[in-house]
Structures are given as structure tokens and as C-alpha cells.
Amino acid sequence: MTTAFQQASQWIDAENAQDPNIETYESVNFAKELLYSNRMFAKLMDFCPSASEAVQIASKAQHICRWKIARNSYPMDRVGYLKWREDLKKFHAQTTAKILKKSGYDSEFIDRVTFLIEKKLLKKDKETQLLEDVICLVFMEYYLQPFVEKHDREKLKNIILKTWNKMSEEGHEAALKINYTSENLELIKEALDL
């Protein structure tokens, strides 16, 4: 018999597998958001194996169907970017809530997952902070390099510092254990004054 968690996970994966954007990793092509979801879940289980079921689902659904709301459908400035990010959080939370309801979860559990995906009470809520740490760790490990290829050193240092400031002490420790290229490690140390 399939558990609610297994059912919800399968449906989240099925949604993310429809992403038309493809990312190649180790010579294999993946639907971009499915790969991101898998990385989030794997990183959570590595970083905090005792994470609650709500955080586990929130990690998998963090970017669910993200491609459906394009960045360029908002003004290409800071205000437009922030509005896009805010709308995405709500969209991810609502999309996940529908799946969880269909999977048989109660409204209290669904509300908790929604709360986490919307990243409410960051720095105050332990599980929101855990999710944010995982988001930052996944960024540092897998998505920093593409930024390095696109931006100048000052902008990169600013991105690294902003990411660092969202994390907990445990997150910082884990981030410094990631296997970076020597150039990126140098950049991180420079950004953080280490």
C-alpha cells in the first residue's frame, strides 16, 4: 500500500518531470526542476536525516512547476524580481497543497508545508531555517558555478554574502565542507573575509 508521503512524492516528481527546461548533469539530461527537487531532498537527508515529513515534502516541492511563471513576465528590475519571487512562493505552496490534499493529508499538515514553502518566520522558525539552509547549500554546491560564469567578482561576492547571511551556524559549517573548485573557494573566502 502506498503511503501518503510516497503518493505525494510521486505526484510532485511527476509535475516537475514536465519541466521543458533541460539540465545536463554528469552527461545525463534531466528536467531542470526534477533535478533541483532531487538535489534538495538528497541534501536535506544528508544535512538533517531526522527532518520532519513536512520539511521533506517542502524540500521536494520548493520549486514545483517553477517554469510556469516566467521571470520575464514581470518588470526586469529589483521590484519586479521581488514580486516574481513572492508570487512564486505562493504558487509553489498552492500547487503543493492540492497534491497533499489529494494524497490524503489533513489540513494542519498541509498548512505547515505551505508555511514552510512560503519561508515564513525565517531565523525564528527552526524548520523554515532548516529548509533555507538546504536551499543555500544546494545553491552553493550546484548553482554557484553558473553564476560565476555570468557575473563579475563584486556581484558574486555580494551573492555569496547574501546567501551566507540567510544560513544558520550549522549551515555555515556544512557549506564550508562542500568540494568547491579552488577558484570558487578563494572567491567564497574573499566574500566572507575568511
Side-chain angles (χ1 to χ4, degrees), residues 141-180:
E141 184 165 351
Y142 298 104
Y143 300 98
L144 177 61
Q145 186 54 40
F147 273 80
V148 167
E149 291 160 17
K150 281 195 290 199
H151 300 292
D152 65 59
R153 200 164 183 86
E154 284 314 303
K155 170 128 184 168
L156 288 165
K157 280 162 45 176
N158 190 28
I159 289 168
I160 290 164
L161 196 55
K162 278 185 178 163
T163 303
W164 198 257
N165 289 338
K166 291 179 191 171
M167 297 168 85
S168 67
E169 282 306 313
E170 294 83 3
H172 293 161
E173 285 170 31
L176 290 174
K177 291 178 188 158
I178 291 170
N179 189 16
Y180 302 103

